[in-house]
Amino acid sequence: MQPKMGKMDIDYQVLHDAFFKYQTKPKLTSHGDLYYEGKEFEVKLREMKPGMLSRELKEALGMPEGAPPPWLINMQRYGPPPSYPSLKIPGLNAPIPLGATFGYRPGEWGKPPVDEHGRPLYGDVFGILQLDEPNYDEEPVDRSKHWGDL
């Protein structure tokens, strides 16, 4: 029997470069991490924060610049998400952007959630409850003593 020589045309330089020149180390799991099939394809969410809409998401939802998210009306009706109690959502528990108005026409921010006395239910929707924070820039600093001296 004769071997079938010359049937495959392999460029050994390209093969060498693929394995030795351009090869990179794979992302390894840390010690004690449980590996499961498909873990390397998971989306890393470190750069994403709840409530912050990316430009791509706004474009996919068809939101013009300065428009509220489409789920704001339901949040005003049913309340903020219970998973994120301290999340500030403009039009729900934080002031809306400058130049924006409340209303139900396209681009408007719905009805502010208020009680029977007109006070906001979830936070400072109107931007009037600004707490006066002390301005430490104007106070004189005594630099003659070291901090912590008795």
Side-chain angles (χ1 to χ4, degrees), residues 55-73:
R55 183 188 53 76
E56 292 87 10
L57 179 59
K58 287 181 181 181
E59 187 176 299
L61 291 173
M63 292 174 53
E65 190 65 35
W71 51 84
L72 180 68
I73 305 295

Side-chain angles (χ1 to χ4, degrees), residues 33-49:
D33 235 0
L34 182 66
Y35 179 79
Y36 46 88
E37 188 175 352
K39 183 173 184 161
E40 61 270 8
F41 300 116
E42 279 187 346
V43 178
K44 305 292 186 255
L45 299 176
R46 292 181 195 267
E47 65 273 356
M48 296 184 188
K49 296 188 175 20

Side-chain angles (χ1 to χ4, degrees), residues 103-142:
Y104 289 106
R105 292 188 299 252
E108 293 184 343
W109 289 74
K111 180 179 181 254
V114 294
D115 62 3
E116 60 273 359
H117 302 291
R119 294 183 300 239
L121 288 178
Y122 304 117
D124 186 17
V125 179
F126 303 112
I128 56 174
L129 301 176
Q130 299 291 333
L131 298 175
D132 292 332
E133 295 186 16
N135 189 359
Y136 295 113
D137 295 336
E138 298 174 2
E139 291 184 12
V141 177
D142 184 16

Side-chain angles (χ1 to χ4, degrees), residues 4-9:
K4 296 182 179 182
M5 301 294 287
K7 295 292 182 190
M8 285 181 49
D9 186 26

